[in-house]
Amino acid sequence: MAASRYREIAAALSAEIAALPPGTKIDGELAVAARFGVSRAAARAAVQELERQFLVRRVRGRGTFTSRRIDYPITSTRPPSWSQTLRDAGALPRTVVRSCVEVPMPQAVAHKLHAAEGSAVWRLQRRSFTDDLPASWGTEWVPAETVPELPAALRSVESLDRIVRDVGGVVPARRWVRASMEAADGEVADELAIGPGAPVWFVESVNQDAATATPVYLTERWIRADAIRVVFEAGAGPS
Amino acid sequence: MAASRYREIAAALSAEIAALPPGTKIDGELAVAARFGVSRAAARAAVQELERQFLVRRVRGRGTFTSRRIDYPITSTRPPSWSQTLRDAGALPRTVVRSCVEVPMPQAVAHKLHAAEGSAVWRLQRRSFTDDLPASWGTEWVPAETVPELPAALRSVESLDRIVRDVGGVVPARRWVRASMEAADGEVADELAIGPGAPVWFVESVNQDAATATPVYLTERWIRADAIRVVFEAGAGPS
DNA sequence: CAGTGGTCTAGACCACGGG
DNA sequence: CCGTGGTCTAGACCACTGG
């Protein structure tokens, strides 16, 4: 079963930090090694165990900190807004635009949006943070006719959901969504500041106007599994 | 970036094993250490990297083997049959009954099945294997009136979907499903033969009769994320 | 600059599985 | 019995962060 020193230590630390608020700095590897009288390698194994269980987050040069996962529910009823969903969960979302350029719509995107291939579309690449930690990275495809001045709009409002409501005059709702868990590879791992192989979500979503059922925009988003607890729910509720 | 010896080794091994059929035995830690001229710890780190990326599976006493994840799509259209879904993906599913007892229906289950609390229900606990490797473990709740002789039926047929079709005369379809990724804790880790903290799915599903829309049974299932690639899809398809 | 986590070495003993 | 992976020690150097 457990019966290994580093798991005992992990369990002890786990109990200690359970009540601490997220973001609290806790003992590092050397401190744990000294306190429990083990080598640094064993102490490291214990702290890595906590990291695998999403209980702590470690940053080289800074230290080890208590952590929590933010719930991110994906359902047909909830509006597909990253910022709103995270605020509802009590987190502080922040989104940084990496690039926003107008390009001819690729075939694959046109197919999903029921739009004409080659028509003008904004390709928006953004990184999102929760509580100042990188959590998500990906691309949104917004037809230029829906929001002609997207870069300008993004300077005052971070939420794409809000922009298409206010400027485009549509109410986004999920039309189709697909999600799976993957191991982060090179580019994704870099953008999310995690090691390669760390678990990440890949979520693809086509959003439509609630009134007209017309596809409005497409998102392709990678999400850190240690930062966000994606909960997928579909069908008639159990109640 | 990468720039560490063990990641270089992991990348080299990854390329080597890419073409091998799943289940092929490959070099162990000592062999890798000798071949690349590094310590066993570095070789171990490389092989663990491959394990995190779901490329190999390691078993103490036996060795390291190439691996693959089986796609397990969860959609409203596909029938909620574990065995059929896995066979469609080209895997060989096998299910072993751990226990099957008739109990009074708990309140939480009754609520989800729209049934009377305390009425007779089978509580079926099973483990499932794909290609003879443990992949899933969990509980199914089947009202006794639907399948009065469930233990007898299970002796000849493994698929619960098939049994309720043939004996209960209903056609199961997903009514409601909820899924999230968690870190395996004690009991789950034991049943799935993985270390604590390994990534696992928790999938809860209420299935109903396609014709009458009456809830038929409830499943609560833990799934090894390294063995099964769960893909959810909801809403009107992109095509 | 000191402290952190990331990597690495060269050993060691153990539990487990299969011949 | 031997080979496997799981755990552990006692060191070491490095890259990165913060003051």
Side-chain angles (χ1 to χ4, degrees):
Chain A
M1 209 73 58
S4 64
R5 190 77 182 99
Y6 83 88
R7 285 190 197 158
E8 292 173 14
I9 296 172
L13 293 174
S14 168
E16 274 179 31
I17 67 177
L20 298 176
T24 309
K25 191 169 194 300
I26 61 173
D27 280 355
E29 296 176 359
L30 291 172
V32 170
R35 186 145 78 87
F36 291 88
V38 295
S39 72
R40 189 190 150 199
R44 179 177 173 78
V47 183
Q48 281 181 322
E49 173 81 22
L50 298 180
E51 193 177 27
R52 274 196 299 274
Q53 294 170 10
F54 311 121
L55 298 177
V56 305
R57 204 184 255 236
R58 336 177 61 211
V59 184
R60 165 157 46 171
R62 297 218 289 135
T64 303
F65 306 85
T66 55
S67 180
R68 58 164 175 171
R69 286 193 295 168
I70 309 292
D71 268 357
Y72 185 72
I74 296 182
T75 73
S76 55
T77 51
R78 174 181 288 274
S81 166
W82 169 266
S83 359
Q84 194 52 52
T85 304
L86 262 63
R87 258 193 299 273
D88 291 351
L92 193 97
R94 190 165 55 86
T95 301
V96 176
V97 174
R98 162 86 35 147
S99 74
C100 184
V101 293
E102 199 179 290
V103 297
M105 195 182 289
Q107 193 269 328
V109 175
H111 181 247
K112 288 172 182 164
L113 287 180
H114 292 203
E117 182 179 351
S119 60
V121 65
W122 293 108
R123 190 191 66 205
L124 171 61
Q125 293 193 295
R126 304 193 294 175
R127 276 214 297 176
S128 295
F129 300 79
T130 60
D131 304 327
D132 287 324
L133 297 166
S136 159
W137 175 73
T139 305
E140 271 109 15
W141 301 88
V142 188
E145 62 172 2
T146 305
V147 184
E149 293 300 333
L150 184 56
L154 282 164
R155 274 193 281 277
S156 53
V157 181
E158 283 195 347
S159 168
L160 185 56
D161 178 79
R162 178 139 299 282
I163 289 174
V164 300
R165 281 174 196 258
D166 294 352
V167 181
V170 299
V171 179
R174 287 199 195 279
R175 174 193 183 86
W176 171 79
V177 61
R178 180 191 175 104
S180 63
M181 211 211 63
E182 310 293 340
D185 69 348
E187 185 187 20
V188 175
D190 287 349
E191 292 286 349
L192 295 180
I194 45 179
V200 290
W201 292 97
F202 181 59
V203 179
E204 239 184 317
S205 177
V206 176
N207 301 311
Q208 67 183 9
D209 182 22
T212 65
T214 312
V216 180
Y217 64 94
L218 167 68
T219 79
E220 300 163 345
R221 193 185 278 275
W222 298 89
I223 301 176
R224 280 180 66 154
D226 63 337
I228 305 288
R229 180 169 176 261
V230 176
V231 180
F232 185 91
E233 196 171 313
S239 60
Chain B
M1 208 73 59
S4 65
R5 190 78 182 99
Y6 83 89
R7 284 190 198 159
E8 292 174 14
I9 296 173
L13 293 174
S14 167
E16 276 179 29
I17 66 176
L20 298 176
T24 309
K25 191 168 193 300
I26 62 173
D27 280 355
E29 296 175 359
L30 291 173
V32 170
R35 186 146 79 86
F36 290 89
V38 295
S39 73
R40 189 189 151 200
R44 178 177 174 78
V47 184
Q48 282 181 321
E49 174 80 23
L50 298 180
E51 193 177 28
R52 274 197 298 276
Q53 293 170 12
F54 312 123
L55 297 177
V56 305
R57 204 184 256 236
R58 336 176 61 210
V59 185
R60 164 157 47 173
R62 296 218 293 134
T64 302
F65 306 85
T66 55
S67 179
R68 59 164 173 171
R69 286 193 294 168
I70 308 293
D71 267 357
Y72 185 73
I74 296 182
T75 73
S76 54
T77 50
R78 173 181 289 273
S81 166
W82 169 265
S83 358
Q84 194 52 52
T85 303
L86 263 62
R87 258 193 299 273
D88 291 351
L92 194 98
R94 190 164 55 86
T95 301
V96 176
V97 174
R98 162 84 37 143
S99 74
C100 184
V101 293
E102 199 179 290
V103 297
M105 195 181 290
Q107 192 268 328
V109 175
H111 181 245
K112 287 170 182 164
L113 288 179
H114 292 203
E117 181 180 353
S119 60
V121 65
W122 293 108
R123 190 191 66 204
L124 171 61
Q125 293 194 295
R126 304 193 295 175
R127 277 215 296 178
S128 295
F129 301 78
T130 59
D131 305 327
D132 287 324
L133 297 167
S136 160
W137 174 73
T139 304
E140 271 110 14
W141 301 87
V142 188
E145 62 171 3
T146 306
V147 185
E149 293 300 333
L150 184 57
L154 282 164
R155 272 192 282 276
S156 52
V157 180
E158 282 195 347
S159 168
L160 185 56
D161 178 79
R162 179 137 298 284
I163 289 174
V164 299
R165 281 174 196 261
D166 294 352
V167 181
V170 300
V171 179
R174 286 200 196 279
R175 173 193 184 84
W176 172 79
V177 61
R178 180 193 176 102
S180 63
M181 210 210 63
E182 311 292 340
D185 68 349
E187 185 187 21
V188 175
D190 286 349
E191 292 285 348
L192 295 179
I194 44 180
V200 290
W201 294 98
F202 182 60
V203 179
E204 240 183 316
S205 177
V206 176
N207 300 312
Q208 66 183 10
D209 181 23
T212 65
T214 312
V216 181
Y217 64 94
L218 167 69
T219 80
E220 301 163 344
R221 193 184 279 276
W222 298 91
I223 302 177
R224 279 179 67 154
D226 64 337
I228 305 287
R229 180 169 176 260
V230 177
V231 180
F232 322 99
E233 200 171 311
S239 61

